[in-house]
Amino acid sequence: QVQLVESGGGLVQAGGSLRLSCEASGRTFSSNAMGWFRQAPRKEREFVAAISWSGNIPYYADSVKGRFTISRDKAKNTLFLQMDALKPEDTAVYYCASGPRITSVRVATQYNSWGQGTQVTVSS
């Protein structure tokens, strides 16, 4: 099992930027893809971005493509999400997730480890 701890959330004005971090510990060698999901009030959890742990291929939701950048530092077992040009509709709790043998990075149920979440609030 992998332990994940997110940080970097906060309150920002529309058009601003935030950088989320997710530090992984535990059995990280067994992790495959890592991803970011978000959940806004009264909405289902949705895919934001993912990246293969062994490779370097990023995946993005259409709603964030061109504005968000996912990256990871393997030496530090840390995942990042750089969020630029933020919009009020990006307001949500952002979760880091990981899991082995993921075949569809956009599907939340394929991940078996989750962080506690970090709140991102974008004001208009």
Side-chain angles (χ1 to χ4, degrees), residues 37-99:
F37 288 76
R38 67 187 182 186
Q39 188 166 17
R42 298 175 297 281
K43 292 188 177 180
E44 293 189 355
R45 191 168 297 190
E46 66 174 358
F47 169 77
V48 175
I51 191 168
S52 172
W53 191 253
S54 57
N56 205 24
I57 302 173
Y59 304 85
Y60 297 100
D62 288 343
S63 59
V64 306
K65 197 173 296 183
R67 300 188 297 122
F68 291 10
T69 304
I70 189 171
S71 62
R72 86 289 189 262
D73 184 331
K74 289 188 67 176
K76 297 182 178 180
N77 288 331
T78 303
L79 181 72
F80 302 100
L81 185 68
Q82 178 65 41
M83 305 186 295
D84 298 318
L86 282 162
K87 304 176 181 179
E89 50 263 44
D90 294 319
T91 295
V93 177
Y94 284 69
Y95 297 91
C96 174
S98 71

Side-chain angles (χ1 to χ4, degrees), residues 25 50 104 115:
S25 60
S104 180

Side-chain angles (χ1 to χ4, degrees), residues 14-15 23 27 30 41-42 46 53 87 112 114 119 123-124:
E23 186 173 348
R27 294 172 61 89
S30 68
R42 298 175 297 281
E46 66 174 358
W53 191 253
K87 304 176 181 179
N112 64 357
W114 292 84
Q119 177 70 47
S123 63
S124 57

